[in-house]
């Protein structure tokens, strides 16, 4: 699993910081998460292939999380895209995007499918044989979801020395990976556990931005490998967090600790702060394994 942070600052783009957008690579998928202004420029800068993005997940309809979307959709059209694009977002985004295309008379030449979200409970919004994506209902000023990306349990792995010693025909290898017992060349039943190894532990990633401190999300994100949680403010400015429905670095760390996550990545910083290291210091007073998100940073896990 690989996370490329294209932008992780709040409110407005600046010459050296970008609003929220991330690319998650997981099991041959490239998912775009949020699409703040300037996202397509950052996609080019980081050499991420446009045509591999087939699903975009938008957390909410504040501009710093989706103002780059119509430009990206338009660029896909200009580049002759013919692959279907799915957009998972709160209800209303389809109306916004289609009105812009209508007034500009610039409809896409590829299929554009909106999956509009209204459910205030966690639900699966994407699933295939390797990955599933759940919403994480967040507490913000408007309807907002985070997203939980989870690998499914993979096939068992062949212990090739044991397989060869048991004289098992290659035609049964697939059955072994699927967990079945098989018969060897001598007609003897071979137990699966004796010739295979357990699959790798599935990995998971939770994206939570924007939100006030909310313990309601803890059961959903329990034990995830990596949690990205907004930390717009420091605790010294907590009085600003409550009315704007944002979190402090300390609150993000508290959620990480209670959810027993493997690693916490902070982001969505207010541009009032010049030094990001103070966010890490504050969070580590509660939860040790903290990383600072920043534009252009890549995390592999």
């Amino acid at each position: 699993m690989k996370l490329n942070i294209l932008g992780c600052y709040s409110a407005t783009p600046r010459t050296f910081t970008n609003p929220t957008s991330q690319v998650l690579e997981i099991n041959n998928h490239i998912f775009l998460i949020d699409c703040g202004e300037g996202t397509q420029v950052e996609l080019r800068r980081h050499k991420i292939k446009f045509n591999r993005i087939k699903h975009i997940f938008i957390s909410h309809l504040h501009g710093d999380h989706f103002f780059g979307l119509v430009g990206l959709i338009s660029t896909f059209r200009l580049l002759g895209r013919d692959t279907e694009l799915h957009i998972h977002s709160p209800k209303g985004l389809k109306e916004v995007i289609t009105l812009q295309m209508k007034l500009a008379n610039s409809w896409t030449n590829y299929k554009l499918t909106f999956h509009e979200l209204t459910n205030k409970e966690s639900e699966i919004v994407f699933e295939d044989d390797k990955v599933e994506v759940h919403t994480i209902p967040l507490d913000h000023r408007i309807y907002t979801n985070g997203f939980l990306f989870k690998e499914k349990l993979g096939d068992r792995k062949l212990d090739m020395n044991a397989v060869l010693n048991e004289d098992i025909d290659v035609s049964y290898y697939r059955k072994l990976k699927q967990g079945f017992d098989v018969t060897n060349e001598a007609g003897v039943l071979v137990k699966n556990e004796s010739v295979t190894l357990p699959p790798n532990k599935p990995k998971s990633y939770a994206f939570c931005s924007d939100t006030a401190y909310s313990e309601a999300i803890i059961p959903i994100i329990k034990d995830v490998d990596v949690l990205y949680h907004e930390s717009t403010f420091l605790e010294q400015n907590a009085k600003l967090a409550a009315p704007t429905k944002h979190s402090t670095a300390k609150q993000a760390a508290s959620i990480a600790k209670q959810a027993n996550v493997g690693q916490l990545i902070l982001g969505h910083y207010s541009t009032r702060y010049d030094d990001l290291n103070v966010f890490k210091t504050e969070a580590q007073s509660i939860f040790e394994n903290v990383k600072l998100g920043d534009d252009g940073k890549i995390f592999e896990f």
Side-chain angles (χ1 to χ4, degrees):
M1 206 178 284
K2 179 179 177 182
L3 179 69
N4 191 321
I5 297 182
L6 305 180
C8 68
Y9 289 80
S10 66
T12 61
R14 298 188 294 172
T15 55
F16 49 91
T17 62
N18 295 289
T20 302
S21 186
Q22 303 182 356
V23 170
L24 180 68
E25 298 184 33
I26 171 175
N27 268 314
N28 294 319
H29 289 290
I30 291 186
F31 294 135
L32 180 63
I33 311 168
D34 277 348
C35 191
E37 193 174 345
T39 292
Q40 64 174 305
V41 174
E42 294 306 308
L43 288 170
R44 290 184 184 279
R45 193 189 311 277
H46 296 282
K47 296 180 171 57
I48 295 167
K49 294 181 178 179
F50 285 8
N51 61 359
R52 290 197 60 199
I53 298 172
K54 298 177 182 176
H55 292 267
I56 299 176
F57 298 87
I58 301 296
S59 61
H60 64 297
L61 299 187
H62 281 157
D64 56 332
H65 293 261
F66 84 95
F67 276 173
L69 184 59
V70 71
L72 185 61
I73 290 171
S74 176
T75 293
F76 285 166
R77 179 183 68 84
L78 293 171
L79 293 177
R81 181 189 179 103
D82 56 13
T83 305
E84 183 174 4
L85 179 65
H86 296 266
I87 298 174
H88 309 261
S89 70
K91 185 176 181 180
L93 186 58
K94 179 179 179 180
E95 181 181 359
V96 171
I97 297 298
T98 53
L99 178 60
Q100 289 179 297
M101 291 191 297
K102 175 184 176 182
L103 295 177
N105 192 26
S106 57
W107 300 103
T108 61
N109 52 354
Y110 56 90
K111 187 175 182 181
L112 180 61
T113 301
F114 287 88
H115 306 268
E116 295 196 296
L117 308 175
T118 59
N119 198 340
K120 294 184 179 180
E121 303 293 329
S122 181
E123 62 179 334
I124 293 180
V125 293
F126 172 81
E127 183 177 19
D128 65 9
D129 61 339
K130 293 183 178 180
V131 178
E132 58 186 36
V133 183
H134 302 244
T135 56
I136 306 170
L138 300 177
D139 180 13
H140 196 39
R141 302 192 303 277
I142 60 174
Y143 176 73
T144 305
N145 287 300
F147 298 99
L148 171 62
F149 302 84
K150 298 171 63 177
E151 289 182 328
K152 292 185 176 181
L153 189 67
D155 289 341
R156 295 184 67 82
K157 295 178 287 186
L158 298 181
D159 181 344
M160 286 309 301
N161 287 332
V163 169
L164 294 173
N165 285 338
E166 288 287 357
D167 199 19
I168 298 171
D169 189 271
V170 67
S171 62
Y172 287 113
Y173 286 6
R174 183 59 185 157
K175 284 288 187 182
L176 287 174
K177 290 180 180 180
Q178 292 172 340
F180 293 99
D181 300 334
V182 300
T183 302
N184 67 10
E185 294 284 1
V188 177
L189 185 68
V190 179
K191 290 292 186 181
N192 187 276
E193 294 80 2
S194 68
V195 293
T196 66
L197 302 171
N200 293 328
K201 179 181 177 292
K203 295 177 181 178
S204 53
Y205 171 66
F207 168 85
C208 294
S209 182
D210 301 6
T211 185
Y213 177 79
S214 174
E215 295 182 359
I217 71 174
I218 292 171
I220 304 172
I221 64 172
K222 191 74 173 176
D223 299 324
V224 299
D225 292 292
V226 180
L227 167 66
Y228 174 92
H229 194 292
E230 75 126 285
S231 53
T232 307
F233 298 106
L234 294 171
E235 197 66 21
Q236 69 193 43
N237 299 118
K239 63 182 180 180
L240 300 176
T244 58
K245 293 278 190 176
H246 284 296
S247 296
T248 66
K250 186 176 181 179
Q251 289 172 335
S254 178
I255 293 294
K257 182 176 181 179
Q258 292 177 75
N260 192 39
V261 309
Q263 178 176 299
L264 170 65
I265 300 176
L266 300 177
H268 201 263
Y269 316 106
S270 168
T271 54
R272 72 182 62 238
Y273 304 105
D274 294 323
D275 182 10
L276 296 185
N277 288 310
V278 290
F279 285 85
K280 184 176 182 179
T281 300
E282 179 173 294
Q284 284 184 322
S285 69
I286 303 293
F287 181 80
E288 180 61 28
N289 195 4
V290 178
K291 303 291 185 183
L292 289 174
D294 204 354
D295 296 5
K297 272 195 176 181
I298 296 173
F299 298 91
E300 296 193 44
F301 47 96

